Amino acid sequence: MQNAVIVKTMQRIRKEFAAITENRYQTVTCATLASGPDIAPIGVRLLQNPVVQAPTVRPIADDDLTAVAELRWHWGSEKQSVPAVGHDEFVRQFTGWARQHRASHRGLVLVHDNVLIGMAWLAVVPRMPSVRMVHRASGDVQCVYVTPGHRNRGFGGRLLDAVLRLAEELELERVTVHSSRRAVTLYGRYGFAASARLLEVDTA
């Protein structure tokens, strides 16, 4: 009896994988071989995309904002920052801020298997017109973050590369970043360098 059940299960799995090759859907089936005639799948996943894709970078959509706020919250938790407000209030304020500043702060997310695993922002700052150029702006890279389980795989570089392409599209004069110590090497690989003329003062 059990052999017959196993044969039927394998036939069903083969049919499912045949459907995958026809680009109908993707399924992952895990069957439990029990002594009884009933074998129930314990893990089935249907995706709109029939093929598992590598992580992709895309602009943040309005529907992403709550998940992006969660990324920002967890980032603060990693750094052991003391929250100024509770979790729910932070999410509410963050999503409101992002909607209010969507024109000046261009957000990108890294998505894998329909889950947001990273983000990066480009703050666009208009500059005073000059005789040589009337329309001017510069950019500042902010909040480049990848979840701990997906680090050291080049995903931070993919986010940064997408940010710099966006800066080129917007014809920004220059792009700056306030880097953490750990990320200085990464930014250096993408052309960032210290400038003797770019100064700052801490007003906090």
Side-chain angles (χ1 to χ4, degrees):
M1 174 64 73
Q2 183 162 337
N3 289 339
V5 172
I6 294 175
V7 170
K8 290 182 180 178
T9 301
M10 296 305 298
Q11 289 174 343
R12 174 166 58 83
I13 293 175
R14 280 196 293 269
K15 289 180 181 179
E16 291 173 348
F17 277 101
I20 294 174
T21 61
E22 295 174 5
N23 291 333
R24 293 178 183 172
Y25 59 86
Q26 179 192 40
T27 182
V28 178
T29 304
C30 300
T32 301
L33 299 181
S35 58
D38 296 329
I39 297 181
I42 60 174
V44 176
R45 178 180 60 199
L46 298 179
L47 302 177
Q48 292 180 347
N49 194 330
V51 180
V52 175
Q53 300 290 336
T56 57
V57 179
R58 61 167 173 78
I60 291 176
D62 193 75
D63 291 345
D64 298 325
L65 291 180
T66 297
V68 172
E70 293 286 353
L71 289 179
R72 186 62 167 149
W73 177 268
H74 288 299
W75 188 2
S77 299
E78 281 185 51
K79 297 192 297 183
Q80 298 182 340
S81 301
V82 178
V85 295
H87 170 269
D88 293 348
E89 179 62 16
F90 174 82
V91 171
R92 187 189 70 80
Q93 291 196 27
F94 183 97
T95 54
W97 174 91
R99 292 187 178 100
Q100 181 181 354
H101 295 88
R102 68 176 74 244
S104 62
H105 288 68
R106 309 293 186 91
L108 300 171
V109 286
L110 181 69
V111 184
H112 183 222
D113 208 13
N114 295 324
V115 177
L116 272 59
I117 62 171
M119 64 175 174
W121 295 75
L122 178 65
V124 180
V125 183
R127 303 191 67 197
M128 184 176 296
S130 70
V131 174
R132 293 185 299 105
M133 185 181 299
V134 176
H135 302 289
R136 306 173 62 205
S138 61
D140 187 61
V141 178
Q142 300 179 355
C143 296
V144 180
Y145 176 78
V146 176
T147 53
H150 296 87
R151 291 174 186 164
N152 301 317
R153 304 185 194 180
F155 295 154
R158 293 184 60 177
L159 281 165
L160 187 54
D161 185 63
V163 167
L164 294 178
R165 288 200 307 268
L166 176 59
E168 291 179 359
E169 293 172 7
L170 297 174
E171 299 182 344
L172 304 184
E173 291 184 26
R174 64 168 176 259
V175 177
T176 59
V177 64
H178 187 185
S179 175
S180 66
R181 290 186 178 89
R182 184 171 60 89
V184 169
T185 302
L186 170 65
Y187 290 115
R189 289 200 297 265
Y190 283 83
F192 286 85
S195 170
R197 296 190 300 154
L198 187 60
L199 310 177
E200 69 175 9
V201 59
D202 190 352
T203 59

